[in-house]
Amino acid sequence: MTTTITETYGVDPTPTPLALLLLGREADPNSERGVECPGDLPPASDPDLVERARAAKAALGDRVFILGHHYQRDEVIEFADVTGDSFKLARDAAARPEAEYIVFCGVHFMAESADILTSGKQQVVLPDLAAGCSMADMATAEQVAECWDVLTDAGIADVTVPVSYMNSSADIKAFTGKHGGTICTSSNAQRALEWAFEQGQKVLFLPDQHLGRNTAVRDMGFSLDDCVLYNPHKPNGGLTAEQLRDAKMILWRGHCSVHGRFSLDSVNDVRERIPGVTVLVHPECKHEVVTAADMVGSTEYIIKALDAAEPGSKWAIGTELNLVRRLAKAHPDKEIVFLDRTVCFCSTMNRIDLPHLVWALESLVEGRVPNVITVDPETEKYAKAALDRMLALP
């Protein structure tokens, strides 16, 4: 007798709109920048996709430069000319002025940064416009302008320096530049904060609360009481003027949906399962996770730590799953596991797949430039000022 999934488990296997959206097969026009392509994508099951990608890339030659973020799928990384974190890739793009087209296999804010740092003759292409970043979307220009008004009313705007994480929109970078602040990465956040406190008495840290808190408390000796959390969805950020005046770090209520899922239970569980394991996590994780970990560092730091690790060593990594799997494959002499038992890819990064990359490359071969990411001159001016301040940090 044959039973159905519904009969056995009591669930309906019919794909829901949400399920199809997460699989990249449908679009939600109310929440996405748009996923429609002016031309049919090749099917994901097309056995010729790899050859088509190779042929299109060969046809374009030096006219195209493909950037692959560490969190991308292996099928995409295979065709990247360089891999790295968001800022490294943007700088790599700027270092290739002979390339007409920069195909950025990452997410929207990264492509914006590449457009800001490259020349006006180059065009930056994002293979799928729906490849956004939930963290970057947690701070809009309107919300941040309203926050600055709140700080002004509290009498502290003139002593507050904005520091924005690289994982932010061009609008937020421009706000930062216009108000005398700087950008930071997860590698240089401490240097950026030290610089900011030389300029003023307080920092408004956007948009990732965890990186701001972890850097201030773990690396710089601040207390948790020195930090307040500004919630853009509450009047005055949910804070009193006195709380704002007493704080040193005003943290925006934003987070990474991948790194934010790791918990103290995840750390305790992996230590029980794997005696002698070293827990290494990204500083976008919650403060209690960072405190319980053995090592904390940026994506590049994590990669270098695994490269230098002793054969036979055991590691639990708290970052995006594509990268953890790639590291495990690259180091078969070490035991490398994902920190959480639950599989967790970055869903927006995974929007860039081989069909989208092939479509973008073949469009360029045919003389059509799809999904061009362009930052307007005014925004670019102030965003670049903030980026330049970061580049000038000692």
Side-chain angles (χ1 to χ4, degrees):
M1 177 179 174
T2 302
T3 58
T4 66
I5 293 176
T6 303
E7 291 170 336
T8 305
Y9 297 103
V11 295
D12 183 358
T14 304
T16 64
L18 175 60
L20 290 171
L21 172 63
L22 293 174
L23 289 169
R25 297 176 186 170
E26 295 292 343
D28 179 358
N30 296 319
S31 66
E32 299 190 353
R33 292 184 174 88
V35 297
E36 298 304 318
C37 300
D40 292 334
L41 286 176
S45 59
D46 183 347
D48 299 323
L49 276 177
V50 171
E51 287 306 317
R52 289 173 64 177
R54 287 175 180 161
K57 186 177 181 184
L60 291 164
D62 292 339
R63 297 173 63 204
V64 70
F65 190 49
I66 302 176
L67 307 174
H69 191 273
H70 287 308
Y71 297 167
Q72 289 289 305
R73 307 163 184 250
D74 285 346
E75 66 187 37
V76 171
I77 289 293
E78 179 183 348
F79 294 98
D81 293 301
V82 294
T83 59
D85 61 14
S86 57
F87 186 62
K88 176 182 181 296
L89 293 178
R91 285 197 300 181
D92 286 342
R96 291 290 293 267
E98 71 278 8
E100 295 176 48
Y101 310 117
I102 307 296
V103 177
F104 209 123
C105 298
V107 294
H108 197 272
F109 78 80
M110 299 178 188
E112 286 182 329
S113 297
D115 183 60
I116 291 167
L117 294 174
T118 52
S119 73
K121 296 179 180 179
Q122 296 173 289
Q123 292 179 293
V124 178
V125 171
L126 186 65
D128 186 350
L129 292 179
C133 171
S134 58
M135 180 202 295
D137 291 342
M138 290 177 189
T140 68
E142 294 77 13
Q143 289 172 333
V144 176
E146 182 178 333
C147 172
W148 199 252
D149 288 341
V150 171
L151 301 188
T152 301
D153 291 342
I156 61 171
D158 59 339
V159 295
T160 301
V161 179
V163 175
S164 291
Y165 191 19
M166 190 72 181
N167 299 27
S168 59
S169 69
D171 287 338
I172 301 307
K173 291 183 175 73
F175 166 88
T176 305
K178 187 176 290 188
H179 291 87
T182 186
I183 307 303
C184 75
T185 69
S186 53
S187 302
N188 69 2
Q190 181 175 346
R191 278 185 292 159
L193 286 180
E194 289 169 346
W195 173 87
F197 280 110
E198 291 171 0
Q199 318 305 311
Q201 300 171 19
K202 303 174 185 293
V203 165
L204 171 63
F205 195 89
L206 300 154
D208 180 24
Q209 60 169 305
H210 300 306
L211 178 62
R213 183 182 296 106
N214 289 330
T215 305
V217 176
R218 180 181 182 273
D219 301 328
M220 299 176 65
F222 286 77
S223 73
L224 289 174
D225 291 337
D226 291 324
C227 307
V228 294
L229 189 63
Y230 183 96
N231 185 342
H233 303 292
K234 292 183 177 181
N236 298 317
L239 299 167
T240 65
E242 183 180 5
Q243 287 175 310
L244 289 167
R245 286 193 286 266
D246 288 344
K248 293 180 180 178
M249 289 287 294
I250 302 167
L251 306 169
W252 192 264
R253 189 175 180 269
H255 65 276
C256 170
S257 57
V258 171
H259 293 106
R261 71 172 292 108
F262 298 117
S263 66
L264 186 56
D265 286 342
S266 303
V267 177
N268 293 334
D269 176 68
V270 80
R271 291 198 193 282
E272 289 181 10
R273 288 188 288 117
I274 308 176
V277 70
T278 298
V279 178
L280 170 55
V281 303
H282 194 281
E284 289 176 20
C285 292
K286 298 171 185 174
H287 184 65
E288 59 265 31
V289 173
V290 164
T291 301
D294 299 298
M295 298 170 67
V296 182
S298 66
T299 302
E300 295 290 345
Y301 176 91
I302 291 171
I303 293 170
K304 290 177 181 178
L306 269 297
D307 287 344
E310 291 292 327
S313 55
K314 304 172 184 179
W315 297 81
I317 310 299
T319 193
E320 205 272 344
L321 184 55
N322 272 317
L323 175 59
V324 177
R325 284 182 168 178
R326 196 171 298 124
L327 288 170
K329 185 177 180 180
H331 299 282
D333 59 333
K334 301 153 194 170
E335 184 177 351
I336 300 172
V337 301
F338 190 58
L339 179 57
D340 195 31
R341 285 181 179 269
T342 305
V343 173
C344 187
F345 294 98
C346 176
S347 60
T348 48
M349 279 279 189
N350 272 265
R351 299 302 295 246
I352 308 295
D353 55 15
L354 196 50
H356 280 89
L357 178 58
V358 169
W359 169 77
L361 294 175
E362 290 182 342
S363 296
L364 293 174
V365 171
E366 294 166 3
R368 292 181 291 106
V369 187
N371 295 357
V372 178
I373 303 300
T374 304
V375 178
D376 69 85
E378 182 78 359
T379 301
E380 179 176 327
K381 171 186 172 182
Y382 288 107
K384 190 172 187 302
L387 287 165
D388 285 343
R389 288 190 191 108
M390 180 182 74
L391 291 172
L393 291 174

